[in-house]
Amino acid sequence: MSHLNPAVVFSVIKLVVRYLDYVQDEETVRALYKRIAPSLGSLLSGPPEISFIILRNLQVIMLKRPGFFEKETKVFFCNFNDPYYLKLEKLDILINLCDAKNFDVVVNELFVYSTQFDPEFVRKAIKGIGKISMKIDKAVDKCITVCVNILNDAKENNRAPHAIQEVVVCVANILRKYPQKFDAEQCLNEVMKAHELITEPEAKASFIWLLGEYAENIKRISALFQPFIDSFLSEQSVVQQQILTAAVKIFLKLPDFTEDTITRVLESATESIENPDIRDRAFIYWKMLSIDPDRAKKIVLAERPPYKYEEAAVDQSHVDKLIQNLGNVTAVFHKTPEDVYKTQVLYDQREKEEEEEESPKQPQAAQAQNQPNQAKEVPAERKAEAQNVDLLDFDFESKPKQPSAPAPTQAPAPTPAPAGQNKNLKLNKPGEKKEEQKTGGGSNFVNLLDDFVTPAPAPTQSVNKGGDLLDFDSPAPTPALTHQSSAVPYEKVLDENTSGFNNGAAGLVVQASFLRENQKILLGLKIRNASGGTIELLDLQIKANFFGLKAEKIAPRQLAPGAQTEVKVGLNVTGGANPTPISTPLFFQVGLKTSLDLFVFSVPCMFHVLLGANGELSKDEFKVQWKSVSGENELSAEVPSVRGGLEDLESLKQHFRTNNIFFIASKVNEAKQRISYFSARGLGEALFLIEVSLPSLKNPRGASISCKSPQKILVPLVLQAVSFLMNV
């Protein structure tokens, strides 16, 4: 179970899972669950291609054994550097694992995902919150609270309009199932405040349903509903149907809703709408209201049967066949070998028929002689290929031929960068061996402190705060380097479907990353025009922030339809610091003014980009500062894995110095750890004192890091950056 080759580990697990059906003792089964589940989780720390195969197979195991991973939920939390296809698989497993015991942890994690920048991933996370509320009654209050928080966060930060659309749909579905479960007034008030940001048909339909269902509890109902009446004829059918029904409900519930308004809606529906379902429904409503309004009220506002959530039925015989083929290519597709083989045979037969039509006709006797042999050879070959290919059979001791990454159907639209690069910070340089990486969950950048940060432990033998801290082996100073800071891959921060802030226009794609080149902080932007017309870039600004960063003026430029440009905007500390609290991960709000619209988005920033070249201290200065900073201002973290080569002190010193983290001294303690000390300065002269211990006592492949600073609020950002650099 602890073998380095994942194929060996998974083969053992496959054997155990197949024979669990013959174990009758429940205690033995639970003991096996407890023993095997951690081993499966450890396989997810390997290369993303292997992790994808493991996750697809784990979903099959969960269909057969739902309780297998009930205590291993956190293993499936998404890491900041996970490829997009891995995040989607982990999200599916998280939602399926959620139950009455762990829903609080899972829903909180989904809330974190809802603040990320990939629209499809955010939408799926919010839909997961809705699904959890449907199947777990106890989770309803928690899910509603999280939905309200997502709404508030999106409105306050002027971002994530796609999140607002999904939240409105989610809230409407929850209220459909639990109309009397809780007081919906506060939730409705928050949804009503976001009415101007609701643009998608499904979200509009859900919002209008809320207006009609809770008309008596909503203030300014007429003002909120009137814009939908005005746009009735231009809306899609699903929205028109909800407008029609909501208009009748509001008319029956609120006498102030005038007859002229309901008559206008009914006339438009019967005279100008071609959809027979809407037109016939309008005629029925009109007839009912004309003949007997009281009876119409009893019918339209009648109490509906409770909504029942039902999981999709699973064919256990099909699942048993999948279990028999765990680790094979067919299990990745969640299909049996027969299904895959049948498709291939039909394809081969079609090719054969086309070849025969193109080739000269042979004598019938020759054809009759050749056909049986061909019919026997192809199935045997294809069947062996379908059943025996083991995707996990890779030798990691030698340099394997890497399989190409699977291409999930949910993958985002292609961008100029390689697929998956925008969503996954692939930190390995070209040509370097991929190291196993496993970092904490959170947004697109890892938040180490979610899982690892603890108050710094009491001083050990490696740090004697009462004696001479710097009585270490001190090699000669490293000469100054002119290399630029380690680059953070560009992140997709604006999608072509994201609406602008002023006019609601869309059609701009933006990838962004903070950089430092020649000690100058830059905001790099890759901008693509996905609209139908020419767009002119006019101005760019960064919202007032904790560090006082302000963007320099950009030169206006034009983008033809389909064209792309790259812009690097200089940043200066001249904007005046804002006392607004900062969070980990760190984001900056950016506004890009174009001739199309004003687009507002958030760009993540790794903190080492903001470190200055003035952070080097002498030993004596470091010693004084270390003693002067309180131990309460120190935090520590574990780095699960360190990039190959950085175990060497000289390589680590040079790598850190390139990123404005300066070596002070080091020594080897009694536990054979190399304890090294570094200093750095951020914007505003914030000083950081950093300790790196290699290897970690908890993990021989990792490292222990700690940092202390007079500005404790920034210490988590430094730990996050150091962990990032030790994996780059």
Side-chain angles (χ1 to χ4, degrees):
M1 299 295 290
S2 58
H3 199 279
L4 292 178
N5 192 328
V8 175
V9 178
F10 200 80
S11 296
V12 175
I13 294 172
K14 172 183 175 181
L15 183 66
V16 174
V17 171
R18 287 188 62 180
Y19 286 96
L20 274 177
D21 290 337
Y22 302 98
V23 180
Q24 303 297 328
D25 184 17
E26 291 296 329
E27 290 297 329
T28 303
V29 172
R30 282 194 290 269
L32 287 170
Y33 284 175
K34 187 176 180 180
R35 176 67 183 87
I36 295 175
S39 298
L40 279 171
S42 66
L43 295 178
L44 299 179
S45 60
E49 295 85 358
I50 301 298
S51 298
F52 177 80
I53 296 170
I54 295 296
L55 289 171
R56 294 291 290 176
N57 281 271
L58 293 189
Q59 290 194 41
V60 175
I61 295 176
M62 288 175 58
L63 292 174
K64 181 72 174 179
R65 302 282 175 179
F68 214 102
F69 306 99
E70 59 183 5
K71 296 184 179 180
E72 299 291 333
T73 307
K74 291 187 178 181
V75 172
F76 302 104
F77 284 2
C78 297
N79 298 325
F80 81 103
N81 58 341
D82 281 342
Y84 181 70
Y85 55 86
L86 277 192
K87 290 184 177 181
L88 293 179
E89 295 301 322
K90 287 185 176 182
L91 192 55
D92 284 336
I93 293 177
L94 264 183
I95 295 170
N96 291 332
L97 280 179
C98 188
D99 56 28
K101 297 178 182 179
N102 61 15
F103 71 84
D104 194 69
V105 175
V106 175
V107 172
N108 284 336
E109 185 70 9
L110 295 181
F111 171 63
V112 174
Y113 300 159
S114 71
T115 62
Q116 295 191 14
F117 300 97
D118 180 72
E120 293 306 316
F121 185 63
V122 171
R123 289 177 186 274
K124 191 163 186 177
I126 297 175
K127 287 178 180 177
I129 294 174
K131 184 176 180 180
I132 290 170
S133 68
M134 293 291 107
K135 68 177 185 177
I136 305 173
D137 293 354
K138 294 181 180 179
V140 176
D141 292 333
K142 178 69 177 179
C143 293
I144 282 290
T145 301
V146 168
C147 287
V148 172
N149 291 339
I150 295 173
L151 277 177
N152 292 334
D153 179 69
K155 289 185 292 185
E156 290 173 2
N157 296 298
N158 295 323
R159 63 182 179 88
H162 48 275
I164 294 177
Q165 319 302 316
E166 289 299 331
V167 168
V168 172
V169 176
C170 181
V171 169
N173 289 336
I174 292 175
L175 291 178
R176 279 189 176 100
K177 184 176 182 184
Y178 305 101
Q180 309 298 332
K181 179 78 176 180
F182 55 90
D183 183 11
E185 186 172 351
Q186 181 181 0
C187 177
L188 288 172
N189 289 338
E190 296 298 331
V191 174
M192 296 305 129
K193 293 177 183 178
H195 70 279
E196 294 180 350
L197 302 175
I198 300 173
T199 57
E200 297 179 1
E202 187 178 5
K204 284 184 178 180
S206 298
F207 181 80
I208 296 167
W209 180 85
L210 291 173
L211 292 178
E213 193 70 16
Y214 296 93
E216 65 275 15
N217 299 328
I218 299 175
K219 300 177 182 178
R220 304 186 306 110
I221 182 69
S222 297
L224 292 170
F225 192 53
Q226 189 61 43
F228 295 106
I229 296 177
D230 296 337
S231 62
F232 178 65
L233 296 178
S234 62
E235 298 288 356
Q236 294 190 17
S237 297
V238 64
V239 181
Q240 290 175 340
Q241 186 164 319
Q242 288 296 339
I243 292 174
L244 175 61
T245 303
V248 175
K249 288 181 179 180
I250 296 172
F251 175 73
L252 294 173
K253 290 182 177 182
L254 304 177
D256 296 338
F257 196 74
T258 62
E259 291 188 11
D260 293 339
T261 305
I262 187 63
T263 302
R264 176 186 171 189
V265 174
L266 293 173
E267 286 180 349
S268 298
T270 54
E271 297 176 4
S272 305
I273 299 295
E274 296 181 358
N275 188 316
D277 293 334
I278 299 175
R279 187 177 63 247
D280 293 349
R281 181 184 288 256
F283 277 123
I284 294 172
Y285 281 146
W286 204 334
K287 194 71 172 177
M288 290 168 59
L289 294 173
S290 301
I291 297 176
D292 192 343
D294 292 333
R295 181 171 294 182
K297 186 174 184 178
K298 292 180 180 179
I299 296 173
V300 176
L301 303 181
E303 184 176 350
R304 291 174 294 279
Y307 175 84
K308 292 183 179 180
Y309 175 79
E310 295 181 359
E311 292 277 5
V314 178
D315 184 358
Q316 286 301 322
S317 61
H318 180 74
V319 173
D320 291 338
K321 290 182 179 180
L322 294 178
I323 290 291
Q324 294 175 7
N325 292 278
L326 286 175
N328 295 340
V329 65
T330 54
V332 175
F333 296 110
H334 291 178
K335 293 182 178 180
T336 62
E338 292 79 7
D339 294 335
V340 176
Y341 170 66
K342 180 180 179 181
T343 304
Q344 186 63 50
V345 168
L346 292 175
Y347 177 76
D348 291 343
Q349 288 178 349
R350 190 181 302 113
E351 280 191 337
K352 179 183 174 182
E353 291 173 359
E354 292 175 355
E355 290 176 0
E356 290 178 350
E357 290 177 359
E358 295 175 359
S359 62
K361 292 186 177 180
Q362 301 178 1
Q364 293 183 357
Q367 291 182 4
Q369 183 178 359
N370 293 335
Q371 285 177 357
N373 294 332
Q374 294 177 355
K376 291 178 182 178
E377 292 172 0
V378 174
E381 182 180 0
R382 295 296 181 183
K383 188 170 184 179
E385 179 181 350
Q387 291 180 339
N388 297 328
V389 174
D390 191 343
L391 297 182
L392 299 176
D393 190 15
F394 297 120
D395 181 10
F396 290 98
E397 298 299 323
S398 61
K399 212 166 186 178
K401 182 178 180 181
Q402 294 290 344
S404 58
T409 56
Q410 303 95 330
T415 63
Q421 182 169 331
N422 295 329
K423 298 292 171 284
N424 170 29
L425 301 184
K426 293 187 177 178
L427 308 179
N428 296 88
K429 297 178 181 178
E432 289 184 343
K433 181 181 178 182
K434 272 190 180 177
E435 296 294 330
E436 292 185 1
Q437 300 178 18
K438 184 180 178 184
T439 49
S443 261
N444 289 1
F445 286 102
V446 61
N447 182 359
L448 267 175
L449 305 185
D450 282 347
D451 294 325
F452 302 115
V453 169
T454 56
T460 64
Q461 55 196 0
S462 63
V463 181
N464 182 6
K465 297 189 178 181
D468 187 359
L469 176 69
L470 302 178
D471 186 17
F472 300 147
D473 303 328
S474 303
T478 306
L481 299 173
T482 57
H483 300 163
Q484 65 183 22
S485 297
S486 297
V488 179
Y490 279 73
E491 185 80 12
K492 191 172 184 180
V493 296
L494 189 69
D495 187 81
E496 62 265 25
N497 298 319
T498 302
S499 303
F501 187 76
N502 291 334
N503 307 320
L508 201 66
V509 180
V510 179
Q511 298 171 287
S513 176
F514 281 93
L515 318 165
R516 181 182 280 272
E517 296 180 358
N518 298 321
Q519 300 300 343
K520 176 72 172 178
I521 303 175
L522 304 172
L523 173 59
L525 300 170
K526 294 180 181 179
I527 306 172
R528 179 167 60 89
N529 182 1
S531 69
T534 300
I535 297 177
E536 183 176 6
L537 308 181
L538 302 175
D539 194 10
L540 181 141
Q541 292 185 7
I542 294 182
K543 186 177 179 180
N545 53 80
F546 182 89
F547 303 97
L549 276 180
K550 188 174 182 181
E552 298 175 353
K553 289 289 184 180
I554 64 172
R557 64 181 71 185
Q558 290 187 342
L559 275 180
Q564 176 171 313
T565 186
E566 185 169 352
V567 182
K568 290 185 178 180
V569 184
L571 305 179
N572 299 313
V573 189
T574 58
N578 189 318
T580 304
I582 60 175
S583 62
T584 307
L586 176 63
F587 296 93
F588 288 91
Q589 299 289 327
V590 178
L592 178 60
K593 185 178 180 182
T594 71
S595 57
L596 180 64
D597 206 337
L598 170 64
F599 295 93
V600 180
F601 47 86
S602 295
V603 181
C605 177
M606 194 60 76
F607 194 69
H608 72 276
V609 176
L610 305 184
L611 298 178
N614 60 338
E616 190 167 12
L617 300 178
S618 68
K619 289 185 185 180
D620 293 336
E621 290 172 333
F622 186 94
K623 180 178 178 180
V624 171
Q625 293 292 341
W626 185 276
K627 290 183 177 181
S628 66
V629 178
S630 170
E632 295 180 354
N633 284 16
E634 183 176 2
L635 294 175
S636 62
E638 290 291 320
V639 181
S641 61
V642 177
R643 193 200 77 190
L646 290 185
E647 298 88 351
D648 176 67
L649 179 60
E650 290 301 318
S651 299
L652 183 65
K653 286 165 54 179
Q654 180 174 339
H655 183 53
F656 274 14
R657 190 178 184 86
T658 303
N659 293 280
N660 291 332
I661 301 177
F662 301 95
F663 175 74
I664 303 297
S666 72
K667 70 172 292 186
V668 177
N669 66 8
E670 295 178 0
K672 305 300 182 182
Q673 284 183 295
R674 167 69 68 175
I675 312 295
S676 303
Y677 287 84
F678 299 84
S679 64
R681 285 190 189 273
L683 302 178
E685 298 298 314
L687 180 64
F688 305 103
L689 311 175
I690 304 166
E691 178 188 85
V692 178
S693 303
L694 278 168
S696 168
L697 294 178
K698 299 180 180 179
N699 178 9
R701 294 187 302 170
S704 299
I705 58 176
S706 65
C707 175
K708 61 192 308 186
S709 170
Q711 289 191 278
K712 184 179 180 180
I713 190 175
L714 300 178
V715 171
L717 297 174
V718 177
L719 292 176
Q720 177 194 28
V722 172
S723 177
F724 172 83
L725 293 174
M726 297 188 78
N727 281 277
V728 177

